[in-house]
């Protein structure tokens, strides 16, 4: 047994020990930390991307883009009429002779295609704790269409605060009819686990929401990342099954959009349902 966080009379704390602590707290995978501008990528030109300030944790290894600055990543030019997907990776290196470690951005270029482009594979798969010479961690996927960069999307999650702070991201009374949209005060990806949607029954005669018959639903942030903009269904019921409602919502990282089914009614399998019996009241980050 060796003490790490204690005075021994000589320098003794190693990067391996520091990463062991980070792995125990945050896990062994890769995460964008919820700090600064969360390494937000910005398309600057047809072949240049700026990665804003923030921090990355890869296998317990912490690396940062300094506050108020950005890193520049250069992408090879696209080809007219072709599509391509590139990976921006965080590349860890270890020089056994000098015992020097490093981390820098690198690009793994995909294969152009005239139909559907695929994400390239990572070949430098390794263990940073074992001091493997090169370890690549995928962070962003870049989609090119012709000579233009269409999008830059993260392929890893944002790690929320370990305090698991809950906060209200939106409140109101919305049926979430077709095209109705609510903007969240913070991104889903910035929450620790995801979001909780709270609906309540609605009194159509009084034109107000009841403060009871609450129905709550948890949506993991990883589901939102994997299926951003796609539909999520929520089935709810009032007291004594007096009313049945199904809500269909499109959940994005920073907003939620309604659907036309949410103001319809009907009968299915002998069950009456009405989309106007419930309204969305709250969205919490959890």
């Amino acid at each position: 047994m060796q003490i790490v966080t204690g005075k021994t009379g000589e320098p003794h704390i190693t990067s391996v020990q520091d990463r062991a602590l980070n792995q125990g707290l945050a896990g062994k995978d890769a995460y964008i930390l919820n700090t600064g501008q969360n390494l937000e990528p910005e398309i600057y030109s047809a072949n240049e991307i700026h990665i804003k300030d923030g921090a990355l944790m890869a296998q317990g290894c912490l690396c940062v883009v300094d506050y108020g600055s950005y890193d520049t990543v250069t992408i090879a030019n696209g080809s007219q009429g072709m599509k391509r997907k590139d990976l921006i990776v965080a590349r860890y290196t270890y020089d056994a002779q000098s015992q020097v470690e490093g981390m820098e951005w690198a690009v793994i270029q995909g294969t152009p295609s005239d139909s559907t482009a695929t994400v390239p594979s990572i070949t430098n798969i390794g263990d940073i704790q074992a001091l493997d010479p090169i370890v690549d961690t995928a962070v962003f996927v870049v989609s090119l269409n012709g000579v233009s960069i269409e999008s830059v999307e993260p392929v890893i999650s944002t790690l929320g605060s370990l305090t698991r702070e809950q906060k209200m991201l939106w409140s109101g009374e919305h049926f979430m009819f077709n095209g109705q949209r609510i903007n969240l005060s913070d991104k889903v990806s910035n929450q620790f686990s995801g979001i909780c949607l709270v609906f309540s029954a609605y009194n159509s005669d009084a034109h107000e929401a009841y403060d009871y018959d609450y129905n709550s639903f948890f949506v993991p942030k990883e589901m939102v990342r994997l299926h951003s903009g796609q539909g999520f269904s929520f089935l709810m019921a009032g007291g004594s099954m007096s009313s049945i409602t199904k809500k269909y919502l499109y959940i994005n990282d920073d907003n939620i959009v309604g659907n036309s089914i949410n103001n319809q009614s009907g009968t299915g399998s002998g069950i009456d349902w009405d989309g106007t019996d419930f309204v969305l009241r709250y969205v919490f980050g959890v």
Side-chain angles (χ1 to χ4, degrees):
M1 179 70 74
Q2 178 183 354
I3 190 169
V4 176
T5 53
K7 184 176 181 180
T8 65
E10 60 182 18
H12 67 285
I13 299 176
T14 68
S15 58
V16 172
Q17 292 168 338
D18 189 56
R19 289 193 291 263
L21 172 62
N22 292 336
Q23 286 187 358
L25 294 174
K28 298 181 180 180
D29 294 327
Y31 310 94
I32 295 171
L33 301 187
N34 187 15
T35 183
Q37 297 189 71
N38 296 54
L39 300 179
E40 180 182 352
E42 179 184 39
I43 301 171
Y44 184 73
S45 68
N47 64 344
E48 189 172 295
I49 295 167
H50 290 173
I51 300 177
K52 299 179 182 179
D53 59 86
L56 172 73
M57 185 81 73
Q59 296 187 29
C61 183
L62 176 66
C63 43
V64 302
V65 176
D66 286 339
Y67 182 79
S69 68
Y70 61 84
D71 285 350
T72 299
V73 176
T74 302
I75 303 295
N77 291 330
S79 304
Q80 193 69 44
M82 304 293 281
K83 297 180 179 180
R84 196 181 82 220
K85 289 186 182 293
D86 294 352
L87 272 180
I88 298 178
V89 302
R91 175 164 292 169
Y92 167 87
T93 56
Y94 174 70
D95 187 317
Q97 183 174 359
S98 64
Q99 297 185 345
V100 172
E101 300 170 89
M103 185 76 82
E104 63 183 3
W105 299 111
V107 178
I108 300 176
Q109 186 173 324
T111 303
S113 171
D114 58 3
S115 56
T116 303
T118 58
V119 178
S121 300
I122 290 179
T123 56
N124 295 319
I125 298 174
D127 185 352
I128 294 178
Q129 286 297 71
L131 300 177
D132 286 343
I134 301 178
V135 181
D136 285 343
T137 300
V139 182
F140 303 102
V141 61
V142 182
S143 298
L144 296 95
N145 190 350
V147 297
S148 300
I149 298 175
E150 278 192 325
S151 65
V152 185
E153 301 293 337
V155 295
I156 58 176
S157 298
T158 299
L159 184 66
S161 169
L162 296 180
T163 59
R164 302 197 181 196
E165 175 188 2
Q166 297 185 14
K167 52 187 172 182
M168 186 181 297
L169 306 182
W170 177 86
S171 65
E173 295 181 10
H174 280 5
F175 289 106
M176 300 305 294
F177 294 160
N178 185 37
Q180 193 168 34
R181 166 180 172 151
I182 63 171
N183 295 314
L184 306 177
S185 61
D186 193 14
K187 293 182 178 181
V188 176
S189 58
N190 290 341
Q191 312 314 305
F192 185 86
S193 300
I195 56 174
C196 178
L197 284 72
V198 182
F199 299 84
S200 74
Y202 186 78
N203 185 335
S204 57
D205 294 329
H207 302 290
E208 63 180 10
Y210 289 116
D211 281 325
Y212 56 84
D213 275 349
Y214 290 107
N215 284 245
S216 302
F217 303 89
F218 170 70
V219 180
K221 69 177 185 180
E222 185 67 6
M223 283 293 293
V224 176
R225 185 184 73 81
L226 292 173
H227 305 287
S228 178
Q230 298 183 20
F232 290 76
S233 294
F234 305 93
L235 184 65
M236 58 202 77
S240 302
M241 302 296 287
S242 58
S243 59
I244 303 292
T245 295
K246 176 183 176 181
K247 295 290 186 181
Y248 194 83
L249 304 175
Y250 303 99
I251 303 179
N252 302 289
D253 197 27
D254 57 4
N255 64 75
I256 301 175
V257 181
N259 182 273
S260 59
I261 195 176
N262 297 335
N263 66 329
Q264 298 176 8
S265 61
T267 301
S269 302
I271 299 175
D272 295 328
W273 58 273
D274 190 333
T276 64
D277 282 343
F278 281 81
V279 290
L280 181 63
R281 298 288 301 278
Y282 306 101
V283 179
F284 293 97
V286 294

